[in-house]
Structures are given as C-alpha cells and as structure tokens.
Amino acid sequence: SERRQYFGETDETVNLRAKAALGAGLKVIICVGEMLRDREQGITAELVALQTKIALLGVGEEQLKNVIIAYEPVWAIGTGKTATAEQADEVCGEAAAEALTVQYGGSMNAKNAEELLSKVNVDGGLIGGASLKPVDFSVIVDAAQK
C-alpha cells in the first residue's frame, strides 16, 4: 500500500509485478486498500474490488493458489487507527473469492487481533510494528491459533 502511495505504483504495475513473481514460482501478497477520503465517500468496496480485479488480470486459476490478498486500509497503516472488526470482515469478504487467502493489515495489535481474527473473512494478519514487541506478538500469535 505504501508503494502505491509514495512511489506511484498503479494497479497495472501491481499486476505486472504479481505475474512476474508468479511466473518465477514465488508466492505473492497483493495489498489493496483505500485512503481515508475513499472510506468517507463510501467507495471502499468498489475501490478494493477494482484493485483486486486489475491485480489479478491474466493470473491463472492454478497460480491463484500462490496469491494472498492483504486488505490494508492506507489510513490505518502505522497510524494506530484500525478498521473495526466488522469493517475488516466486510472488505476482506468483498476482496476475493473463497478460494483465496485474505489477510488484514492495518495496525493489528495485541489488543485487537483476537477480534479481527475471529471474523470469518479474515484469514490472517500482516503485522507491522507489533511484531517488534515480543510480548505483544505472542498475544497475536495466540489469537491466530484460536
């Protein structure tokens, strides 16, 4: 998500990188997410669906087994703000079909991991700053194992 925001990457360049990585036999994590203004305008679902669809253009069914979609609301990365568990569940469910792994990344921490990970559409988490705190990270790992 930061590469889109700070380095001008587009949905099309994400697609090209994903296909190149998959072609080389790598697993791919494709990050999708909205800016705060997009959420406030009520276009999160449409934007995330479009990002996901473009990122996966030309990706074969067999290759999809090596793709993880990560929902990272840009407004929540490193800000301490987190989507509610309901928001994460809703967007993760919209982001991809049942066959894909969909994770949440956006300030998941020891306090909110259990609630976020309890949602049916949230398959896991991308842990940032909380991974640098062993006690907090162990709480997140325990929540993921429930």
Side-chain angles (χ1 to χ4, degrees):
S1 297
E2 288 97 336
R3 293 204 55 88
R4 291 177 191 261
Q5 184 177 4
Y6 299 121
F7 297 101
E9 294 214 5
T10 65
D11 296 330
E12 290 79 12
T13 59
V14 170
N15 173 256
L16 292 172
R17 288 175 184 261
K19 289 192 298 190
L22 290 165
L26 299 172
K27 292 187 182 275
V28 174
I29 299 174
I30 298 173
C31 297
V32 297
E34 81 282 14
M35 304 288 279
L36 184 57
R37 71 175 181 274
D38 301 322
R39 173 154 292 279
E40 290 170 344
Q41 292 172 355
I43 60 171
T44 297
E46 294 89 341
L47 182 66
V48 169
L50 184 63
Q51 289 174 344
T52 303
K53 184 174 184 177
I54 294 172
L56 296 176
L57 278 174
V59 174
E61 188 175 331
E62 193 62 30
Q63 291 177 307
L64 285 177
K65 295 176 184 175
N66 292 313
V67 174
I68 295 170
I69 301 295
Y71 169 54
E72 285 191 306
V74 177
W75 51 269
I77 299 170
T79 64
K81 296 178 182 177
T82 306
T84 66
E86 289 73 25
Q87 289 170 325
D89 188 52
E90 175 186 319
V91 177
C92 288
E94 293 278 344
E98 284 291 317
L100 290 174
T101 299
V102 183
Q103 299 182 340
Y104 174 77
S107 296
M108 185 181 284
N109 57 51
K111 293 178 185 172
N112 62 25
E114 186 171 354
E115 183 180 12
L116 286 163
L117 293 169
S118 73
K119 295 302 181 182
V120 69
N121 293 314
V122 178
D123 298 322
L126 291 179
I127 314 304
S131 68
L132 302 174
K133 303 171 188 169
V135 173
D136 288 357
F137 190 62
S138 68
V139 171
I140 297 168
V141 170
D142 288 343
Q145 294 177 342
K146 290 184 179 180

